[in-house]
Amino acid sequence: IYGFSSHSQFHFSVASGYFFWATGTTLVFGSRKTLLPLIHHFSCALTFLFTLRPFLHHVGNVFLLFQASTLVLDLHAVGRIIGAPSSGTNRSLRVFHPFVFFCVRICIGVPLSFFFLGDMARLVAVRGGHSYFEIAFLVMFNILINVLNFYWLWTNLRGDGEGRPEYAAGSCTVMVRERVDGGDQDWMKGLTVPMLKVEILRLDPDARMKGLRKAELQALLLEMKMGSDGGKK
């Protein structure tokens, strides 16, 4: 538990700085919907900061595997930022994300958490801990993150409305806000499915929309808007 690894020390230093950066970025560019990601990022930053004692160098790197699913979602966010929200690559990432999420956060994360909680219980029992505050924080955050992982998996699998991957709670490193011609795309959130279809048909009377859900209609409309604005320029 208190063994030292130079590799782990380096990885945890980078991870802690990364999450402090994500916390600051979310504070600056976030909204009311980013409260949960904000808590997640700040808690992760503190978690990896506490491991620099050294502490938990033997299992901490495995917990970093959780971020594999975040990387998939961040790549999906890049597609939205560059104006290709409904491209083939972005659709593949949207389908691939729940699979990666389930593998690293549920299949690996849940059993690993049981071993971690057992180690912490034994450490407290023999009164060998360096800081009961830090141990209690890590235990509570571990339990919380596992509960949230199941919640986030459910919202990802739901696949519609606020449950689509780009809005799945702790998910993206920072909140992505697509812009077209300098304007935030918040206006699309208030459009119903029929209204979205009317807007799409106005831009392209031959557009095929059969079977598309609201999230896909929003992505299609955004792509068409960006394409039409690009054509005007």
Side-chain angles (χ1 to χ4, degrees):
I1 293 177
Y2 287 102
F4 176 79
S5 165
S6 58
H7 292 288
S8 295
Q9 190 81 344
F10 172 73
H11 295 157
F12 300 159
S13 299
V14 173
S16 182
Y18 169 82
F19 280 111
F20 274 122
W21 167 81
T23 300
T25 307
T26 305
L27 274 172
V28 174
F29 298 105
S31 63
R32 287 176 298 176
K33 292 183 179 180
T34 59
L35 178 60
L36 189 55
L38 180 66
I39 295 172
H40 169 266
H41 299 335
F42 185 65
S43 298
C44 284
L46 287 181
T47 295
F48 289 110
L49 180 66
F50 290 158
T51 63
L52 299 179
R53 182 176 176 85
F55 185 49
L56 300 174
H57 281 201
H58 65 308
V59 295
N61 279 319
V62 186
F63 277 109
L64 274 175
L65 275 176
F66 279 19
Q67 301 313 313
S69 62
T70 308
L71 292 175
V72 175
L73 207 58
D74 282 345
L75 288 173
H76 181 271
V78 169
R80 296 171 62 208
I81 291 171
I82 65 176
S86 58
S87 66
T89 302
N90 250 29
R91 288 177 182 271
S92 299
L93 289 170
R94 190 159 52 197
V95 172
F96 189 51
H97 175 257
F99 172 74
V100 176
F101 190 100
F102 179 75
C103 288
V104 298
R105 298 206 177 206
I106 306 301
C107 294
I108 296 176
V110 173
L112 183 64
S113 294
F114 276 112
F115 285 112
F116 163 74
L117 294 174
D119 283 344
M120 294 302 99
R122 286 187 289 272
L123 185 63
V124 171
V126 299
R127 298 184 179 180
H130 66 286
S131 169
Y132 289 113
F133 169 76
E134 291 184 14
I135 293 172
F137 175 84
L138 293 174
V139 166
M140 288 189 293
F141 182 58
N142 179 266
I143 294 172
L144 175 63
I145 199 70
N146 277 286
V147 171
L148 289 175
N149 282 340
F150 280 103
Y151 167 72
W152 290 333
L153 179 65
W154 173 69
T155 59
N156 274 284
L157 292 176
R158 200 176 66 190
D160 60 355
E162 292 298 291
R164 59 192 187 277
E166 52 266 47
Y167 287 107
S171 48
C172 238
T173 303
V174 292
M175 192 71 168
V176 176
R177 304 185 74 180
E178 295 139 328
R179 302 178 71 85
V180 176
D181 220 11
D184 292 334
Q185 295 307 301
D186 292 337
W187 61 273
M188 280 203 304
K189 297 177 184 177
L191 298 183
T192 62
V193 169
M195 293 167 68
L196 285 166
K197 290 183 176 180
V198 168
E199 282 293 316
I200 291 171
L201 288 173
R202 184 176 63 82
L203 294 171
D204 182 5
D206 299 321
R208 297 182 180 180
M209 297 175 286
K210 186 176 180 180
L212 295 183
R213 294 172 296 188
K214 184 175 181 179
E216 294 170 319
L217 290 170
Q218 289 174 326
L220 177 61
L221 177 58
L222 176 63
E223 194 169 23
M224 293 173 70
K225 284 288 257 181
M226 295 189 76
S228 63
D229 289 345
K232 291 176 184 177
K233 294 176 183 178

